[in-house]
């Protein structure tokens, strides 16, 4: 099974955004964590990740 480059880019983008949000804390950490979880669930069809 070949890796999907779009899925890889989306996941790395979510990781980078998560790190920035955790470090700068513009919103509380728990809201950031829930937002990341929801984002990964919504992007599931494109990334191939399952919740």
């Amino acid at each position: 099974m070949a890796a999907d480059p779009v899925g890889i880019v989306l996941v790395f983008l979510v990781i980078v955004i998560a790190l920035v949000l955790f470090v700068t804390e513009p919103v509380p950490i728990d809201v950031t964590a829930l937002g990341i979880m929801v984002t990964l669930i919504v992007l599931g069809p494109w990334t191939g990740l399952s919740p």
Side-chain angles (χ1 to χ4, degrees):
M1 180 169 112
D4 182 23
V6 175
I8 293 171
V9 171
L10 284 174
V11 170
F12 277 121
L13 187 62
V14 169
I15 291 171
V16 168
I17 291 170
L19 287 174
V20 169
L21 288 175
F22 279 130
V23 170
T24 60
E25 275 191 69
V27 292
I29 291 176
D30 55 345
V31 174
T32 301
L34 287 172
I36 293 166
M37 184 178 64
V38 169
T39 302
L40 289 174
I41 291 170
V42 168
L43 293 176
W46 292 283
T47 61
L49 296 173
S50 63

